[in-house]
Amino acid sequence: MSRRVKRPLAKRASGDRRKGARPYRSSPAERPQGHRPDGKAPARFKSAAPRATKPAPFIAESAKVVAEPPPLPTKVQTVTVTADEANMRVDRFLEARFPGLSFSHIQRVVRKGELRVNGKRADSKDRLEEGQNVRIPPLKLDAPKAAASFSEAAKKTHDALTDMILFEDDDVMVLNKPAGLAVQGGSGITRHVDQMLETMRDAKGQRPRLVHRLDRETSGCLLVAKTRFAATALTGSFRHRSARKIYWALVAGVPKPKQGRISTYLAKEENEDDSIMRVAAHGDEGASHAVTYYAVVETSAAKLAWVSLKPVTGRTHQLRAHMAHIDHAIVGDPKYFNKENWQLPGGLQNRLHLLARRIVIPHPRGGFIDATAPLPPHMLQSWNLLGLEADRFDPIENAPEE
């Protein structure tokens, strides 16, 4: 189900607190209307009744006049990393600055050493610091493929993508990415969404492009821009945290309190075989602040809980690392499930139970995109076996945005 509605999102407050999972408590200046004097969460976050009405469907007015993004550089240029871009990976930095570039072209530029940071070669995964100078070579869009090269295999890929579409207009698509399908290429990955999008070039040769990512085993809402104009606007919305994302997960045990806020610093920890995000201290090298709100929707005895999650920040593996941090790891998580001697209930598949359930983001031409993804097959099977009601009211809807 998806819709495009014109309504405001909750405004984020600027204050922030560190460490651990706790119920939401704001300072007097931050308290929303209806905040209780005993320090407990606002009633709107605890409500168990559905909203009385849903917003009316968006009816387009005259499109806002927004300038197209500047053309790609045709000669070498040097840019300075801003505060908003600090700690971004080199490849993400290029994507944000130049949304028209394909993932393969970005990798090629970096691999050949044409992009340099403070005069030195950089790797795609290197993270940038505020004030660094980045040398960017001339860039160009990939040339469109001839229609004759649209093979039977490409047609099947195109059809598979079309079947994933939850929402689409001239600027944007929201895909229901299945669990197990990678978003981008990597070691041992031969099929991924970014590659599949090659089959959806338009008459001008523009290909849809990713504006955010999901882990390979996470299913659900994946936002794709169909034009450079939309990519620039949507990337900006993510950078400025104007996008609201809601995830569903099945976790071990029942979190207490049942509604809370997790605030930590996360840093990548590399080893020979893999990498993992660990909870770090403020000031640790590569550590970034991460904030997640959670709410228990329903439980299965005391062994399992269906939780709804609202990430405020967008760190790698944030939700998976945060739930493991409060000792309620997501069921089927091969990296972060840390419960010893824990037995998976009979009939449940040992796969990651994490769904990007809903995304609400400003549309590049006005109004909002609001798309919702259904439970993937393995999670639907678990919900049915555990007697969880997927149409229950989701209390995370009204969690704060800061």
Side-chain angles (χ1 to χ4, degrees):
M1 180 182 75
S2 64
R3 56 192 183 278
R4 185 173 163 191
V5 298
K6 194 170 186 179
R7 58 184 175 81
L9 291 178
K11 186 177 181 181
R12 298 194 320 271
S14 59
D16 221 334
R17 289 156 294 279
R18 289 183 52 195
K19 196 85 171 161
R22 65 191 76 176
Y24 171 65
R25 294 183 177 90
S26 62
S27 66
E30 292 174 328
R31 288 173 189 162
Q33 188 175 9
H35 189 282
R36 292 170 55 173
D38 59 5
K40 294 183 180 179
R44 60 177 183 162
F45 189 24
K46 290 184 169 291
S47 173
R51 294 175 180 175
T53 59
K54 291 187 176 181
F58 174 77
I59 300 175
E61 300 173 357
S62 57
K64 293 181 180 179
V65 178
V66 184
E68 286 282 339
L72 296 178
T74 57
K75 59 183 180 180
V76 173
Q77 64 173 237
T78 300
V79 299
T80 302
V81 178
T82 67
D84 283 344
E85 295 166 333
N87 204 41
M88 287 181 71
R89 284 175 38 154
V90 168
D91 52 1
R92 306 287 189 262
F93 171 83
L94 276 177
E95 282 184 318
R97 286 266 182 160
F98 308 106
L101 289 177
S102 68
F103 177 73
S104 59
H105 186 55
I106 289 172
Q107 296 299 316
R108 185 164 61 250
V109 166
V110 177
R111 186 174 61 251
K112 291 170 68 175
E114 295 175 351
L115 180 142
R116 293 180 177 264
V117 178
N118 285 353
K120 298 180 181 179
R121 291 182 67 125
D123 185 84
S124 294
K125 296 181 180 179
D126 290 348
R127 293 190 180 270
L128 299 169
E129 298 176 6
E130 182 182 357
Q132 286 183 323
N133 292 319
V134 182
R135 175 196 181 276
I136 299 173
L139 302 171
K140 61 182 180 180
L141 296 173
D142 290 349
K145 295 183 178 179
S149 65
F150 204 70
S151 64
E152 183 62 30
K155 184 178 183 305
K156 288 182 179 179
T157 297
H158 182 274
D159 291 344
L161 270 177
T162 301
D163 289 342
M164 297 179 200
I165 293 174
L166 295 169
F167 170 88
E168 182 179 23
D169 64 15
D170 291 340
D171 295 290
V172 182
M173 287 191 300
V174 182
L175 302 178
N176 180 21
K177 187 192 81 67
L181 176 63
V183 171
Q184 289 183 312
S187 178
I189 296 175
T190 57
R191 184 171 182 262
H192 52 86
V193 174
D194 196 47
Q195 174 195 62
M196 296 170 73
L197 290 173
E198 284 287 344
T199 66
M200 301 190 83
R201 288 186 180 273
D202 63 18
K204 296 179 181 179
Q206 288 194 99
R207 70 188 294 278
R209 52 195 61 79
L210 302 166
V211 290
H212 79 126
R213 283 147 205 85
L214 297 176
D215 294 341
R216 183 175 185 173
E217 294 303 324
T218 301
S219 64
C221 296
L222 180 69
L223 190 64
V224 177
K226 296 174 67 175
T227 62
R228 285 189 63 212
F229 161 71
T232 299
L234 295 170
T235 300
S237 292
F238 278 105
R239 187 184 304 127
H240 297 106
R241 300 182 187 173
S242 300
R244 179 158 61 95
K245 295 175 285 183
I246 293 174
Y247 290 73
W248 282 1
L250 188 67
V251 303
V254 179
K256 293 181 181 179
K258 288 192 174 182
Q259 294 174 354
R261 178 180 186 272
I262 307 169
S263 175
T264 72
Y265 285 83
L266 295 175
K268 181 174 286 188
E269 186 174 275
E270 303 277 1
N271 56 48
E272 293 182 2
D273 302 320
D274 208 349
S275 63
I276 196 168
M277 299 301 290
R278 63 174 177 82
V279 173
H282 179 41
D284 283 0
E285 183 179 358
S288 299
H289 192 208
V291 176
T292 301
Y293 284 93
Y294 73 86
V296 175
V297 183
E298 197 172 1
T299 64
S300 178
K303 191 175 180 69
L304 296 163
W306 160 18
V307 296
S308 189
L309 303 162
K310 180 188 283 188
V312 175
T313 52
R315 312 305 179 197
T316 301
H317 296 174
Q318 175 176 319
L319 302 180
R320 298 163 64 182
H322 268 175
M323 294 313 295
H325 173 63
I326 65 169
D327 201 31
H328 295 286
I330 298 175
V331 170
D333 192 332
K335 283 179 179 280
Y336 297 93
F337 198 90
N338 52 7
K339 309 282 284 185
E340 294 185 6
N341 302 317
W342 193 88
Q343 296 295 319
L344 190 71
L348 272 63
Q349 297 183 45
N350 190 23
R351 300 185 63 184
L352 182 67
H353 282 59
L354 181 61
L355 165 69
R357 170 67 174 176
R358 183 180 177 196
I359 187 165
V360 182
I361 189 170
H363 193 282
R365 301 189 188 277
F368 284 83
I369 301 160
D370 188 348
T372 302
L375 289 166
H378 70 285
M379 289 180 67
L380 181 60
Q381 179 188 44
S382 298
W383 259 237
N384 290 336
L385 287 169
L386 298 171
L388 303 176
E389 300 176 13
D391 59 352
R392 285 181 65 95
F393 172 71
D394 186 348
I396 207 72
E397 290 264 347
N398 295 320
E401 299 289 338
E402 80 282 3

